[in-house]
Amino acid sequence: STYCYKVSSASDLKPHQNFLATQVWPTAREAAHFLEAVSLSSLHDVKTVCELGCGPGLPSLVIAKRKEITEVIATDLDSLALDLVQMAATDQKLLDIVRTCRVDLCGNELPPADLYILSDVFESGTVAKKAARLLYNQAMDSRVWIFCQSDRFQRTVFADEFSKLTGKPLDWISVKEHDPSNRFCLFNVEETD
């Protein structure tokens, strides 16, 4: 079974470290379950996966165990979160597939990938807007799967900004409605799922 590490208490951290980036949130668990179950054989073009804002990296570690995947890039702005991914990847003998990379969603560059995964990473309206622009500018030839809880206001900010850029409305769907032919999916996650 795939696992990741998290920090058990904010008191275990140094003042500059982000406790939120070291936790496994319900949306990351839902994304991991989905990635474990989805048929990647129908996604023959997916070999490299990049998780943006990975935190402890549970979705990255889960998809790294899929035989179809040759590389997983777990990204976060928080170096402690990346250290947690690296430790779990080492312990599960996934270092030949998983690598970590510091990426700022408010920045200008994404590592190249066939599939980008995000789960509840829009911690502010600014991050949501900039992530929409970054994905629009750099990931339109890739698949993008975004998992977000319905009560996150910033997801609307992201969807509105992305819709403005593409000229197309975006709908949030449940993971049960996933259609492999859709390259861009916004998955609605309820915390009780």
Side-chain angles (χ1 to χ4, degrees):
S1 176
T2 307
Y3 58 90
C4 66
Y5 297 114
K6 66 177 189 153
V7 174
S8 59
S9 168
S11 64
D12 296 334
L13 300 176
K14 295 176 182 153
H16 67 279
Q17 293 175 316
N18 180 358
F19 180 68
L20 298 178
T22 67
Q23 300 303 294
V24 182
W25 297 99
T27 304
R29 286 192 294 275
E30 181 70 23
H33 290 302
F34 178 77
L35 294 170
E36 203 167 44
V38 69
S39 170
L40 292 179
S41 62
S42 63
L43 305 176
H44 62 283
D45 58 335
V46 176
K47 300 293 179 209
T48 301
V49 176
C50 178
E51 183 182 6
L52 300 171
C54 67
L58 184 59
S60 289
L61 296 162
V62 164
I63 202 154
K65 290 189 174 181
R66 301 292 301 259
K67 65 180 183 330
E68 305 92 335
I69 304 303
T70 58
E71 181 182 25
V72 175
I73 308 158
T75 73
D76 206 289
L77 187 57
D78 189 273
S79 58
L80 178 56
L82 296 175
D83 290 345
L84 293 171
V85 175
Q86 197 72 30
M87 286 188 303
T90 299
D91 290 350
Q92 295 172 78
K93 300 183 180 11
L94 295 171
L95 283 180
D96 57 330
I97 296 173
V98 176
R99 72 178 171 96
T100 59
C101 179
R102 195 162 190 251
V103 170
D104 184 352
L105 285 174
C106 292
N108 297 317
E109 200 167 325
L110 295 176
D114 304 314
L115 169 63
Y116 292 92
I117 300 167
L118 297 84
S119 57
D120 265 348
V121 296
F122 310 131
E123 54 192 53
S124 71
T126 300
V127 171
K129 277 187 175 184
K130 290 189 176 188
R133 291 182 200 134
L134 190 59
L135 288 167
Y136 176 77
N137 289 328
Q138 295 192 18
M140 292 306 289
D141 292 332
S142 303
R143 294 180 183 277
V144 177
W145 293 347
I146 299 174
F147 299 81
C148 194
Q149 288 184 202
S150 60
D151 62 350
R152 300 289 193 256
F153 168 75
Q154 296 86 347
R155 79 186 211 152
T156 303
V157 174
F158 173 86
D160 290 348
E161 184 68 18
F162 202 84
S163 292
K164 247 193 293 187
L165 294 166
T166 62
K168 299 175 188 169
L170 296 176
D171 292 320
W172 294 88
I173 63 171
S174 78
V175 293
K176 295 173 183 133
E177 298 173 276
H178 176 248
D179 176 356
S181 67
N182 289 341
R183 299 187 67 75
F184 192 91
C185 295
L186 301 174
F187 295 113
N188 184 50
V189 176
E190 298 298 333
E191 193 161 350
T192 58
D193 288 351

Short mmCIF file of all heavy atoms in Angstrom, two decimals, residues 11 20 22 27 31-32 34 42-43 51 65 75 84 116 129 135 138-139 153 155 161 165 169-170 180 191:
data_model
loop_
_atom_site.label_atom_id
_atom_site.label_comp_id
_atom_site.label_asym_id
_atom_site.label_seq_id
_atom_site.Cartn_x
_atom_site.Cartn_y
_atom_site.Cartn_z
N SER A 11 3.85 22.45 16.13
CA SER A 11 4.95 22.72 17.06
C SER A 11 6.24 22.00 16.67
O SER A 11 7.31 22.33 17.16
CB SER A 11 4.54 22.35 18.49
OG SER A 11 4.31 20.95 18.59
N LEU A 20 0.49 23.70 6.73
CA LEU A 20 -0.54 23.26 5.78
C LEU A 20 0.07 22.44 4.63
O LEU A 20 -0.56 21.52 4.12
CB LEU A 20 -1.30 24.46 5.22
CG LEU A 20 -2.07 25.29 6.25
CD1 LEU A 20 -2.73 26.47 5.58
CD2 LEU A 20 -3.07 24.44 7.00
N THR A 22 2.34 20.34 4.83
CA THR A 22 2.83 19.04 5.31
C THR A 22 1.69 18.09 5.66
O THR A 22 1.92 17.05 6.27
CB THR A 22 3.73 19.22 6.55
OG1 THR A 22 2.93 19.71 7.64
CG2 THR A 22 4.88 20.17 6.27
N THR A 27 -8.90 16.15 -0.30
CA THR A 27 -8.85 16.18 -1.76
C THR A 27 -7.66 15.39 -2.29
O THR A 27 -7.76 14.72 -3.31
CB THR A 27 -8.82 17.63 -2.25
OG1 THR A 27 -9.95 18.31 -1.71
CG2 THR A 27 -8.88 17.72 -3.75
N ALA A 31 -7.91 12.28 -4.80
CA ALA A 31 -7.10 12.23 -6.02
C ALA A 31 -6.29 10.93 -6.06
O ALA A 31 -6.21 10.26 -7.10
CB ALA A 31 -6.18 13.44 -6.10
N ALA A 32 -5.71 10.55 -4.93
CA ALA A 32 -4.92 9.31 -4.87
C ALA A 32 -5.79 8.09 -5.17
O ALA A 32 -5.38 7.21 -5.93
CB ALA A 32 -4.26 9.18 -3.50
N PHE A 34 -8.53 8.02 -6.93
CA PHE A 34 -8.87 8.09 -8.35
C PHE A 34 -7.70 7.62 -9.21
O PHE A 34 -7.88 6.82 -10.14
CB PHE A 34 -9.28 9.52 -8.72
CG PHE A 34 -9.59 9.68 -10.17
CD1 PHE A 34 -10.80 9.24 -10.69
CD2 PHE A 34 -8.69 10.27 -11.03
CE1 PHE A 34 -11.10 9.39 -12.04
CE2 PHE A 34 -8.98 10.43 -12.38
CZ PHE A 34 -10.19 9.98 -12.88
N SER A 42 -6.16 3.67 -21.39
CA SER A 42 -6.86 4.50 -22.37
C SER A 42 -6.18 5.85 -22.55
O SER A 42 -6.51 6.60 -23.45
CB SER A 42 -8.32 4.69 -21.96
OG SER A 42 -8.39 5.38 -20.74
N LEU A 43 -5.23 6.14 -21.69
CA LEU A 43 -4.47 7.39 -21.76
C LEU A 43 -3.04 7.07 -22.23
O LEU A 43 -2.07 7.36 -21.54
CB LEU A 43 -4.45 8.09 -20.41
CG LEU A 43 -5.82 8.36 -19.77
CD1 LEU A 43 -5.64 8.96 -18.39
CD2 LEU A 43 -6.64 9.26 -20.65
N GLU A 51 2.67 16.63 -10.36
CA GLU A 51 1.70 17.09 -9.37
C GLU A 51 2.15 18.47 -8.91
O GLU A 51 3.25 18.64 -8.39
CB GLU A 51 1.61 16.15 -8.17
CG GLU A 51 0.56 16.61 -7.18
CD GLU A 51 0.43 15.75 -5.93
OE1 GLU A 51 1.24 14.81 -5.74
OE2 GLU A 51 -0.48 16.02 -5.14
N LYS A 65 3.49 4.28 -8.83
CA LYS A 65 3.46 2.81 -8.79
C LYS A 65 2.73 2.21 -9.99
O LYS A 65 2.72 0.99 -10.15
CB LYS A 65 2.82 2.34 -7.49
CG LYS A 65 3.72 2.60 -6.29
CD LYS A 65 3.20 1.96 -5.04
CE LYS A 65 4.20 2.11 -3.90
NZ LYS A 65 3.73 1.47 -2.68
N THR A 75 5.89 18.62 -7.22
CA THR A 75 6.34 20.00 -7.05
C THR A 75 5.61 20.68 -5.91
O THR A 75 4.44 20.40 -5.64
CB THR A 75 6.12 20.83 -8.33
OG1 THR A 75 4.72 21.10 -8.48
CG2 THR A 75 6.66 20.12 -9.56
N LEU A 84 9.52 15.52 2.52
CA LEU A 84 8.63 14.42 2.92
C LEU A 84 8.36 13.48 1.74
O LEU A 84 8.35 12.26 1.90
CB LEU A 84 7.30 14.98 3.46
CG LEU A 84 7.38 15.74 4.79
CD1 LEU A 84 6.04 16.42 5.09
CD2 LEU A 84 7.79 14.83 5.93
N TYR A 116 -0.90 16.95 -15.70
CA TYR A 116 -0.71 17.77 -14.50
C TYR A 116 -1.86 17.48 -13.55
O TYR A 116 -3.02 17.43 -13.96
CB TYR A 116 -0.70 19.27 -14.84
CG TYR A 116 0.50 19.67 -15.64
CD1 TYR A 116 0.46 19.68 -17.04
CD2 TYR A 116 1.69 20.02 -15.02
CE1 TYR A 116 1.57 20.04 -17.79
CE2 TYR A 116 2.81 20.38 -15.76
CZ TYR A 116 2.74 20.39 -17.14
OH TYR A 116 3.84 20.73 -17.87
N LYS A 129 -5.71 32.62 -9.82
CA LYS A 129 -5.61 33.32 -11.11
C LYS A 129 -4.29 33.04 -11.82
O LYS A 129 -4.26 32.77 -13.02
CB LYS A 129 -5.75 34.84 -10.91
CG LYS A 129 -7.16 35.32 -10.81
CD LYS A 129 -7.19 36.83 -10.78
CE LYS A 129 -8.62 37.29 -10.80
NZ LYS A 129 -8.72 38.74 -10.88
N LEU A 135 -1.17 27.42 -16.34
CA LEU A 135 -1.64 26.21 -17.03
C LEU A 135 -2.07 26.52 -18.46
O LEU A 135 -1.79 25.76 -19.38
CB LEU A 135 -2.79 25.57 -16.26
CG LEU A 135 -2.38 24.89 -14.95
CD1 LEU A 135 -3.61 24.57 -14.11
CD2 LEU A 135 -1.58 23.63 -15.23
N GLN A 138 1.19 27.05 -20.53
CA GLN A 138 2.19 25.99 -20.63
C GLN A 138 1.65 24.57 -20.66
O GLN A 138 2.42 23.65 -20.91
CB GLN A 138 3.18 26.12 -19.47
CG GLN A 138 3.97 27.39 -19.56
CD GLN A 138 5.13 27.41 -18.61
OE1 GLN A 138 5.57 26.38 -18.12
NE2 GLN A 138 5.65 28.58 -18.36
N ALA A 139 0.39 24.36 -20.40
CA ALA A 139 -0.09 22.98 -20.28
C ALA A 139 -1.23 22.64 -21.23
O ALA A 139 -1.86 21.60 -21.08
CB ALA A 139 -0.53 22.71 -18.84
N PHE A 153 -13.72 28.76 -2.25
CA PHE A 153 -14.09 29.92 -3.06
C PHE A 153 -13.10 30.11 -4.22
O PHE A 153 -13.49 30.48 -5.33
CB PHE A 153 -14.13 31.19 -2.20
CG PHE A 153 -14.22 32.44 -3.02
CD1 PHE A 153 -15.42 32.78 -3.64
CD2 PHE A 153 -13.11 33.24 -3.21
CE1 PHE A 153 -15.49 33.93 -4.42
CE2 PHE A 153 -13.19 34.38 -3.99
CZ PHE A 153 -14.38 34.73 -4.59
N ARG A 155 -11.67 28.16 -6.13
CA ARG A 155 -11.86 27.33 -7.32
C ARG A 155 -12.69 28.08 -8.35
O ARG A 155 -12.49 27.93 -9.54
CB ARG A 155 -12.45 25.97 -6.97
CG ARG A 155 -13.92 25.95 -6.72
CD ARG A 155 -14.38 24.60 -6.26
NE ARG A 155 -15.75 24.37 -6.71
CZ ARG A 155 -16.24 23.19 -6.94
NH1 ARG A 155 -15.52 22.12 -6.76
NH2 ARG A 155 -17.47 23.05 -7.33
N GLU A 161 -11.14 32.60 -14.37
CA GLU A 161 -9.93 33.08 -15.08
C GLU A 161 -9.60 32.17 -16.26
O GLU A 161 -9.31 32.64 -17.35
CB GLU A 161 -8.75 33.15 -14.11
CG GLU A 161 -7.49 33.73 -14.72
CD GLU A 161 -7.58 35.21 -15.06
OE1 GLU A 161 -8.49 35.91 -14.53
OE2 GLU A 161 -6.74 35.68 -15.84
N LEU A 165 -9.63 32.99 -20.40
CA LEU A 165 -8.48 32.74 -21.29
C LEU A 165 -8.85 31.85 -22.47
O LEU A 165 -8.39 32.07 -23.59
CB LEU A 165 -7.34 32.12 -20.49
CG LEU A 165 -6.70 33.01 -19.43
CD1 LEU A 165 -5.82 32.20 -18.50
CD2 LEU A 165 -5.91 34.14 -20.07
N PRO A 169 -16.68 27.86 -21.10
CA PRO A 169 -17.08 27.67 -19.70
C PRO A 169 -16.53 26.34 -19.15
O PRO A 169 -16.36 25.39 -19.91
CB PRO A 169 -18.60 27.65 -19.75
CG PRO A 169 -18.94 27.24 -21.14
CD PRO A 169 -17.81 27.71 -22.02
N LEU A 170 -16.28 26.31 -17.87
CA LEU A 170 -15.78 25.11 -17.22
C LEU A 170 -16.82 24.59 -16.25
O LEU A 170 -17.44 25.36 -15.52
CB LEU A 170 -14.49 25.39 -16.45
CG LEU A 170 -13.29 25.80 -17.28
CD1 LEU A 170 -12.13 26.14 -16.35
CD2 LEU A 170 -12.88 24.70 -18.22
N PRO A 180 -12.26 9.80 -20.28
CA PRO A 180 -10.84 9.85 -20.65
C PRO A 180 -10.54 10.72 -21.87
O PRO A 180 -9.41 11.16 -22.05
CB PRO A 180 -10.49 8.39 -20.93
CG PRO A 180 -11.50 7.60 -20.20
CD PRO A 180 -12.75 8.43 -20.19
N GLU A 191 -15.88 16.88 1.04
CA GLU A 191 -15.01 16.43 2.12
C GLU A 191 -15.48 15.11 2.70
O GLU A 191 -14.70 14.35 3.25
CB GLU A 191 -14.89 17.48 3.21
CG GLU A 191 -13.78 17.17 4.17
CD GLU A 191 -13.32 18.36 4.96
OE1 GLU A 191 -13.72 19.49 4.66
OE2 GLU A 191 -12.55 18.14 5.90
#
